[in-house]
Amino acid sequence: MERLIHGLTVVTGPQWPGVQYFCTTRAGGVGTAPHDTLNLGLRADDRPEAVRENRRRVRAAVPGEPLWLRQVHGAEVVDADAGPAAEPAADASVTAARGRVLAVMVADCLPVFITDLDGVVVGAAHAGWRGLAGGVLEATLRSLRAKAPGARGWRAWIGPGIGPAAFEVGDDVRAAFAADGPEAQALFAPRPGLPGKWLADLPALALLRLRRAGVEDAHASGLCTVSDPARFFSYRRDGTTGRMALLAWRE
């Protein structure tokens, strides 16, 4: 669903007790094309002063300074409660502290929010196909379980990302999910007349992995970044472009 938070147009999912989360859109910033307007990525070839202003606007909409990551398409998870360095090299973070804001940036990769049923811990993960195949969601869940061993269960929301009609991949990507079995392989549709090319359903692959890891209540936004240029940045569509962010925290 789309909401307006502190002057920013954002999208979010189900309302769950004890937590807040949303994903930014292109709207509400100061950037100019091709980074118009709310680009939050310092490494996206935008003017640094524009990104700083955009991050200031996001900071005003959340209860604390977000923990920005230097994302590397891996499976490293940072414990935000352990006082990490600024912008640690990782693709996910977790916290049990109230008001500690987690952040991951995306522009086709999946932003994934994970929490327990009581909102005691929260995690945010950046899941492109490499990170997803490499186990970033499972690693995030392991870190969350370590912080909340008595959790009654888990839920997750997958935000806007590249959709199944837009994500053309090669045999290498399909092979990266071979160990996930026939259920995962069925999420790759062959491209007629293009041997070795497939359309991959990345959100469905993420849902499959989440559920196999023990997340009983998992939802996908159904929003495709590639097909919605008015609302979302897309690296696959535009090349040089901005970055949205998933922000999440305990209340």
Side-chain angles (χ1 to χ4, degrees):
M1 72 184 78
E2 191 169 278
R3 297 172 56 193
L4 192 66
I5 297 178
H6 208 83
L8 301 179
T9 301
V10 303
V11 293
T12 188
Q15 292 186 333
W16 292 324
V19 298
Q20 293 289 338
Y21 66 98
F22 62 81
C23 186
T24 62
T25 66
R26 299 184 75 139
V30 299
T32 56
H35 300 93
D36 46 327
T37 63
L38 193 70
N39 169 41
L40 298 168
L42 282 170
R43 298 173 181 86
D45 298 321
D46 196 3
R47 294 177 297 117
E49 61 272 21
V51 178
R52 286 193 291 269
E53 171 58 21
N54 289 339
R55 288 191 176 192
R56 186 197 66 78
R57 295 184 182 197
V58 168
R59 168 63 185 87
V62 296
E65 183 64 33
L67 175 62
W68 302 102
L69 306 176
R70 182 165 58 84
Q71 296 164 193
V72 294
H73 295 275
E76 187 71 24
V77 182
V78 169
D79 185 346
D81 303 335
E87 297 209 19
D91 285 87
S93 56
V94 296
T95 182
R98 297 183 187 276
R100 184 67 170 106
V101 182
L102 309 181
V104 292
M105 287 183 293
V106 290
D108 286 336
C109 293
L110 303 176
V112 184
F113 170 63
I114 307 173
T115 186
D116 66 292
L117 297 183
D118 298 309
V120 172
V121 289
V122 299
H126 160 254
W129 74 263
R130 288 182 180 85
L132 191 59
V136 68
L137 298 184
E138 292 87 346
T140 304
L141 273 163
R142 284 194 297 272
S143 295
L144 289 168
R145 286 187 171 110
K147 295 180 82 67
R152 297 186 298 114
W154 301 93
R155 50 178 43 127
W157 179 75
I158 300 169
I162 192 167
F167 193 31
E168 182 182 284
V169 302
D171 286 332
D172 58 330
V173 178
R174 187 168 183 258
F177 292 90
D180 291 73
E183 194 174 356
Q185 295 298 291
L187 298 174
F188 291 81
R191 297 295 308 274
L194 294 174
K197 295 296 183 181
W198 309 81
L199 287 175
D201 192 337
L202 196 64
L205 286 165
L207 286 171
L208 176 64
R209 283 197 159 228
L210 285 166
R211 287 166 179 156
R212 286 180 174 177
V215 178
E216 304 93 337
D217 186 18
H219 304 258
S221 71
L223 299 172
C224 175
T225 47
V226 178
S227 64
D228 195 346
R231 281 202 292 178
F232 303 122
F233 297 114
S234 167
Y235 182 81
R236 174 68 66 105
R237 183 189 64 230
D238 299 328
T240 301
T241 191
R243 301 292 186 272
M244 290 98 54
L246 168 71
L247 290 304
W249 67 95
R250 283 190 69 198
E251 291 183 299

